[in-house]
Structure formats: structure tokens, C-alpha cells
């Protein structure tokens, strides 16, 4: 059996905690970005009146609920 000193145990414990926190941070960031990307796919902004709305239908040119203008689906950029 090998021996390990108390400072080494503490360092190993801290490294393990940091690795877990870092892993959870990366995973939560990945999930958040994926959810944002999925939600952004259904968001549109009317070209005529500028009304932002959500349309989850398969219609390639959904009508604006505010003014009725037909809007093409285009990718929205991050601000
Ligand atoms: Zn509109």
C-alpha cells in the first residue's frame, strides 16, 4: 500500500472539486447555448412593422400577427 500525505490529499480534493465545478459550468453553458439556438430558430421580426414574434409552424413564410405581412425565416444574430 502506498502512503499519501495530508497536503497531497487536500490538493487532490481541491483539484477534484475544481474539475467538477468546471465540468458543470461547461455543461450548463452548452445546454444554455443549445436552448437559445433552438428558440432562435422560431423567432422572427416583421420586416414591415418590426414586431418580434414566435412562429413554430412549418410555414416557410409565416404571417406577422400584428400587421399580416409575410416574412421570410432568416437567422437572427446575437446582439
Ligand atoms: Zn408586422
Amino acid at each position: 500500500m502506498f502512503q499519501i500525505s495530508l497536503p497531497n490529499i487536500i490538493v487532490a480534493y481541491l483539484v477534484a472539486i475544481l474539475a467538477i465545478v468546471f465540468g458543470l459550468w461547461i455543461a450548463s453553458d452548452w445546454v444554455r447555448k443549445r436552448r437559445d439556438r433552438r428558440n432562435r430558430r422560431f423567432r422572427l421580426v416583421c420586416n414591415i412593422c418590426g414586431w418580434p414574434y414566435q412562429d413554430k409552424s412549418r410555414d416557410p413564410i409565416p404571417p406577422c400577427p400584428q400587421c399580416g405581412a409575410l416574412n421570410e425565416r432568416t437567422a437572427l444574430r446575437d446582439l
Side-chain angles (χ1 to χ4, degrees), residues 46 49 64 67:
C46 180
C49 67
C64 170
C67 67

Side-chain angles (χ1 to χ4, degrees), residues 58-75:
R58 294 268 181 202
D59 191 1
I61 308 174
C64 170
Q66 192 75 7
C67 67
L70 298 175
N71 296 291
E72 254 186 276
R73 292 184 188 273
T74 55

Side-chain angles (χ1 to χ4, degrees), residues 8 14-15 21 26 28 33 45 62 69 79:
N8 285 344
L14 289 176
V15 167
V21 168
I26 294 294
S28 69
K33 283 181 180 175
V45 177
L79 293 178

Side-chain angles (χ1 to χ4, degrees), residues 4-76:
I4 187 165
S5 65
L6 183 61
N8 285 344
I9 291 173
I10 292 172
V11 168
Y13 178 75
L14 289 176
V15 167
I17 294 293
L18 283 175
I20 289 170
V21 168
F22 187 69
L24 288 174
W25 178 46
I26 294 294
S28 69
D29 191 54
W30 180 75
V31 167
R32 184 185 57 78
K33 283 181 180 175
R34 188 168 161 226
R35 186 179 53 227
D36 284 352
R37 211 175 316 126
R38 187 177 296 156
N39 286 339
R40 203 177 311 130
R41 193 180 333 151
F42 301 112
R43 269 190 251 150
L44 294 118
V45 177
C46 180
N47 291 327
I48 304 298
C49 67
W51 184 260
Y53 63 100
Q54 208 169 26
D55 185 90
K56 293 195 173 185
S57 69
R58 294 268 181 202
D59 191 1
I61 308 174
C64 170
Q66 192 75 7
C67 67
L70 298 175
N71 296 291
E72 254 186 276
R73 292 184 188 273
T74 55
L76 293 177

